[in-house]
Amino acid sequence: MKVKFLGTGTSQGIPVIGCKCDICLSKHIKDKRLRSSVYIEKDNYNFIIDTGPDLRQQVLKNNINKLDFVLYTHAHRDHVSGIDELRSFNFIQKKAISAFGNYQLVNQLKKDYSYIFSGLKYPGLPNINLKVIKNQFEFNGIKINPIEVYHHKLKILGYRIDDFTYITDAKTIKKNELKKIDNTKILVINCLQIDEHISHLNLEEALKLIKNLSVEKVYLTHISHNLGKHNNISELLPKNVNLAFDNLSFSL
Ligand SMILES: [Zn+2]
Ligand SMILES: [Zn+2]
Ligand SMILES: [Zn+2]
């Protein structure tokens, strides 16, 4: 299984438009962050988690020419608003693309993108087969285990696929859901900034959560310019914890 970070930034990305802070002005490539998403290749299938507003350039930059399905975490714009770009894959693959999320996500997408899901099919529309998932399921032989986490009061999903777990936009995770993460080799989890935030883990909270889990390696993602420069923050982290950066990839 191969994993690549297509983006590791929070909703505004880095640099933030008009911001003159040190991080936004940094020339370092690791301080440039598109909106959060990962691309995964497994058993000849390609899929992504979330379709944010930067999807088009992420797909072009990484030469992704085939996409079999999408896993959605939640319906906030920084995670879904690239949804129209999926039609390019419809044109190439000549079939609908499957997408999965919880009830809240499916409901919200059907409202917000009613032209896609109204049932009226006219040429040029994305063709997406959107399904609600609750428990572990198998698609194309790939076992996918959704993990329910709280984004303030909103129930959203993280995903575990084999020994890889991806969680973004979490603030709290209940004990029984945390168990699903145990013994994962690689955990990706969100870490917004230094200061506390109502709906996202900050650095202190993310590190506290990680400490109580048995995982080999952790990557922090969904990063704001308020966290700090990549290299400065990296120095402060425990050995098995790393800041993710755009285009970082690994196999497991
Ligand atoms: Zn987000
Ligand atoms: Zn800034
Ligand atoms: Zn969100």
Side-chain angles (χ1 to χ4, degrees), residues 163-213:
D163 280 332
F164 173 72
T165 302
Y166 183 88
I167 292 171
T168 188
D169 292 51
K171 175 67 178 182
T172 48
I173 309 177
K174 289 193 174 163
K175 262 190 190 156
N176 54 329
E177 295 297 300
L178 274 175
K179 273 190 205 148
K180 296 182 182 171
I181 305 171
D182 252 349
N183 297 316
T184 194
K185 273 192 189 135
I186 295 195
L187 168 67
V188 178
I189 192 145
N190 57 297
C191 169
L192 185 74
Q193 58 189 27
I194 302 293
D195 292 344
E196 246 190 84
H197 189 279
I198 188 168
S199 57
H200 293 270
L201 294 165
N202 68 357
L203 180 59
E204 193 184 335
E205 292 163 334
L207 293 179
K208 198 173 156 199
L209 187 124
I210 293 159
K211 227 179 163 182
N212 296 315
L213 296 170

Side-chain angles (χ1 to χ4, degrees), residues 27-231:
K27 297 256 186 292
H28 201 292
I29 190 82
K30 291 180 183 172
D31 287 319
K32 313 234 176 268
R33 300 181 190 275
L34 297 177
R35 267 57 71 89
S36 291
S37 174
V38 280
Y39 167 69
I40 299 166
E41 288 180 10
K42 180 174 163 54
D43 305 338
N44 290 322
Y45 290 101
N46 306 348
F47 56 103
I48 49 174
I49 303 182
D50 291 335
T51 59
D54 298 318
L55 185 65
R56 181 176 173 273
Q57 55 168 316
Q58 289 166 330
V59 160
L60 288 173
K61 194 194 273 177
N62 291 289
N63 231 342
I64 300 169
N65 297 313
K66 172 178 167 278
L67 200 60
D68 295 293
F69 61 99
V70 179
L71 301 175
Y72 278 113
T73 60
H74 65 304
H76 284 165
R77 285 301 178 275
D78 54 324
H79 299 263
V80 303
S81 69
I83 191 167
D84 276 288
E85 311 301 346
L86 293 178
R87 67 202 187 118
S88 299
F89 294 102
N90 294 140
F91 298 155
I92 302 170
Q93 295 162 197
K94 299 189 171 37
K95 58 176 184 181
I97 186 158
S98 293
F100 304 91
N102 66 7
Y103 170 78
Q104 288 86 343
L105 171 284
V106 168
N107 212 21
Q108 195 69 44
L109 282 192
K110 285 185 173 171
K111 265 190 222 161
D112 296 347
Y113 298 92
S114 57
Y115 60 93
I116 298 178
F117 300 107
S118 70
L120 244 171
K121 301 274 178 209
Y122 61 85
L125 267 188
N127 186 1
I128 301 166
N129 193 358
L130 186 61
K131 288 177 207 154
V132 174
I133 44 155
K134 258 188 174 172
N135 303 309
Q136 178 163 306
F137 68 107
E138 218 177 288
F139 190 66
N140 294 331
I142 300 169
K143 270 191 197 136
I144 297 157
N145 200 2
I147 300 165
E148 189 175 83
V149 307
Y150 283 84
H151 188 19
H152 186 44
K153 287 180 182 165
L154 182 68
K155 283 180 186 178
I156 71 169
L157 294 182
Y159 292 95
R160 178 167 183 171
I161 301 119
D162 295 347
D163 280 332
F164 173 72
T165 302
Y166 183 88
I167 292 171
T168 188
D169 292 51
K171 175 67 178 182
T172 48
I173 309 177
K174 289 193 174 163
K175 262 190 190 156
N176 54 329
E177 295 297 300
L178 274 175
K179 273 190 205 148
K180 296 182 182 171
I181 305 171
D182 252 349
N183 297 316
T184 194
K185 273 192 189 135
I186 295 195
L187 168 67
V188 178
I189 192 145
N190 57 297
C191 169
L192 185 74
Q193 58 189 27
I194 302 293
D195 292 344
E196 246 190 84
H197 189 279
I198 188 168
S199 57
H200 293 270
L201 294 165
N202 68 357
L203 180 59
E204 193 184 335
E205 292 163 334
L207 293 179
K208 198 173 156 199
L209 187 124
I210 293 159
K211 227 179 163 182
N212 296 315
L213 296 170
S214 64
V215 297
E216 267 178 34
K217 199 168 189 175
V218 180
Y219 289 103
L220 303 176
T221 191
H222 206 279
I223 291 164
S224 142
H225 65 156
N226 294 321
L227 182 65
K229 281 190 183 170
H230 182 96
N231 287 347

